[in-house]
Amino acid sequence: QVQLVESGGGLVQPGGSLRLSCVASGSIFRINVMGWYRQAPGKQRELVARIFSGGSANFADSVKGRFTISRDNAKNTVYLQMNSLKPEDTGVYYCNADAHGGNYWGKGTLVTVSS
């Protein structure tokens, strides 16, 4: 099994930046793809970004050019760098890992973009 723990959420002004971290533990050798999802009040959970085993990544159209996903394999950590934040980026951000034998989620970290 895989355990995921997110951190880095908080309150930020529009135009500001945050970096989210997700630390994976357990059977990390089984992970194929890792990604970030978010869910705003009254909306469905949506994909924000994901990174594949070969290093390629894709992003939701709404965050392209503003967000970057990266990984540090030595630290078993995936990051989401969020720049030029907008109020519509507000939501609970969840780390996700797709692995051989299962799909795993963290408990989420709240990001609030407000003046």
Side-chain angles (χ1 to χ4, degrees):
Q1 62 180 10
V2 176
Q3 296 81 44
L4 305 172
V5 179
E6 306 101 328
S7 63
L11 175 65
V12 65
Q13 298 285 321
S17 298
L18 285 173
R19 188 178 72 162
L20 307 183
S21 299
C22 173
V23 179
S25 61
S27 300
I28 56 176
F29 63 92
R30 302 177 66 87
I31 296 174
N32 296 315
V33 184
M34 296 194 69
W36 290 93
Y37 292 71
R38 68 187 181 190
Q39 187 167 23
K43 299 181 67 177
Q44 293 185 331
R45 187 175 300 184
E46 64 177 350
L47 173 68
V48 178
R50 57 188 173 190
I51 187 165
F52 299 87
S53 60
S56 62
N58 55 32
F59 302 86
D61 288 341
S62 60
V63 307
K64 286 181 179 177
R66 300 189 296 119
F67 290 12
T68 300
I69 188 169
S70 61
R71 65 186 182 186
D72 185 336
N73 290 332
K75 297 181 178 180
N76 301 321
T77 302
V78 174
Y79 304 95
L80 185 69
Q81 178 67 46
M82 305 185 294
N83 300 320
S84 302
L85 283 162
K86 305 175 180 179
E88 51 263 45
D89 294 318
T90 294
V92 178
Y93 283 68
Y94 298 90
C95 184
N96 172 262
D98 186 65
H100 293 292
N103 187 265
Y104 302 90
W105 295 90
K107 293 183 178 180
T109 185
L110 178 63
V111 173
T112 303
V113 185
S114 176
S115 60

